[in-house]
């Protein structure tokens, strides 16, 4: 994935229900910043020169994190999501990462089923917390 893919990737995200985006992190500038820090671990899938799916993955040197994995609904059930995840996991492993985490909204049944099929287990011993350091607008798809 490159910053030039932003418009098509954003359109893909917006076509997928159950995602949580925001106006700062997921802006063109925010995604460009993320891709600059993680140039080898984020991927898109294409069919007929159209982006059909995307995955943002990166790490802090210790743990890998996956964000915004999406496949356009018209292209699902073709192995695209699994291929994107496998590419990201392989890239993270090549950078020395041995464990990967992600967050899925509890109400996103399809997303949770997908991750469970790929061997990502839910952790009942954690409470996810966050704190915004500036005002952001949340966008739920």
């Amino acid at each position: 994935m490159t910053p030039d893919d932003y418009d098509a990737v954003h359109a893909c995200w917006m076509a997928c229900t159950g995602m949580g985006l925001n106006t700062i992190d997921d802006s063109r500038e925010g995604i460009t910043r993320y891709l600059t820090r993680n140039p080898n671990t984020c991927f898109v899938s294409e069919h007929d020169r159209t982006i059909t799916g995307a995955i943002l993955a990166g790490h802090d040197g210790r743990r890998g994190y996956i964000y915004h994995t999406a496949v356009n609904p018209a292209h699902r059930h073709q192995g695209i999501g699994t291929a994107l995840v496998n590419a990201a996991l392989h890239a993270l492993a090549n950078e020395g990462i041995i464990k990967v985490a992600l967050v899925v909204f509890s109400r996103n049944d399809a997303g949770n089923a997908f991750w469970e099929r790929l061997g990502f287990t839910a952790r009942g011993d954690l409470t996810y917390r966050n704190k915004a350091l500036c005002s952001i607008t949340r966008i739920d798809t």
Side-chain angles (χ1 to χ4, degrees):
M1 182 186 305
T2 71
D4 290 339
D5 295 323
Y6 178 79
D7 290 329
V9 168
H10 190 269
C12 182
W13 293 338
M14 296 305 290
C16 297
T17 58
M19 294 189 67
L21 308 171
N22 73 60
T23 55
I24 296 176
D25 297 324
D26 304 313
S27 67
R28 180 181 307 278
E29 296 77 20
I31 296 303
T32 297
R33 186 172 49 251
Y34 190 84
L35 294 172
T36 299
R37 288 183 53 89
N38 300 281
N40 302 314
T41 56
C42 302
F43 299 93
V44 296
S45 66
E46 295 181 333
H47 178 73
D48 291 335
R49 303 179 90 185
T50 299
I51 289 179
T52 57
I55 187 168
L56 291 177
H59 65 87
D60 59 12
R62 182 172 176 269
R63 288 288 180 258
Y65 300 94
I66 294 176
Y67 304 93
H68 298 348
T69 304
V71 176
N72 184 293
H75 296 274
R76 290 186 179 164
H77 307 291
Q78 299 175 29
I80 294 169
T82 300
L84 287 167
V85 171
N86 288 339
L89 295 178
H90 182 74
L92 290 166
N94 282 343
E95 296 195 14
I97 301 303
I98 61 168
K99 191 173 181 182
V100 178
L102 58 92
V103 175
V104 183
F105 286 124
S106 299
R107 68 182 178 345
N108 185 346
D109 294 331
N112 280 296
F114 170 78
W115 291 110
E116 190 75 25
R117 278 193 308 276
L118 294 183
F120 285 77
T121 57
R123 301 243 346 223
D125 60 330
L126 300 174
T127 300
Y128 179 80
R129 298 181 187 272
N130 68 359
K131 181 177 181 170
L133 301 179
C134 64
S135 178
I136 59 173
T137 301
R138 183 172 152 166
I139 303 166
D140 291 333
T141 62

